[in-house]
Amino acid sequence: QVQLVESGGGLVQAGGSLRLSCAASGRTFSSYVMGWFRQAPGKEREFVAAIGWGAGRTDYADSVKGRFTISRDNAKNTVYLQMNSLKPEDTAIYYCAAENTYNTRWNGPTLPRSYGYWGQGTQVTVSS
């Protein structure tokens, strides 16, 4: 079992930065792929970024490449999302997700259905 708690959201002006954190419980955190997703009002949940268990592989949505950076600290059971050059269209609730790739549900890091563990979300609002 993994429990996830996000923090770090808030209101920021366009061009600004925020760093989201996701603290995970559980002894096997280091073996899980960690992902960040977001959901804006009236839209489906969409992939933002993911990082492999060893932090050797990262994936990003095209819309955030070059602006967002995902990282993890396995010693602290925490995954981060550094968001720079924020745009109003980045406004959404951001969710942290986790899954072990050996789970039969796993179908790649970019699909929400691949992940069985989710945090409660943190609001990010970017004003123009």
Side-chain angles (χ1 to χ4, degrees), residues 2-57:
V2 176
Q3 292 184 325
L4 306 172
V5 179
E6 302 98 334
S7 61
L11 173 64
V12 64
Q13 288 188 332
S17 298
L18 283 174
R19 188 176 83 154
L20 305 183
S21 298
C22 173
S25 65
R27 295 175 294 174
T28 58
F29 170 79
S30 61
S31 66
Y32 282 76
V33 172
M34 303 298 297
W36 284 98
F37 290 78
R38 66 187 182 187
Q39 189 166 17
K43 295 187 177 182
E44 293 186 353
R45 191 168 297 190
E46 66 173 2
F47 170 73
V48 176
I51 187 166
W53 63 270
R57 171 177 174 171

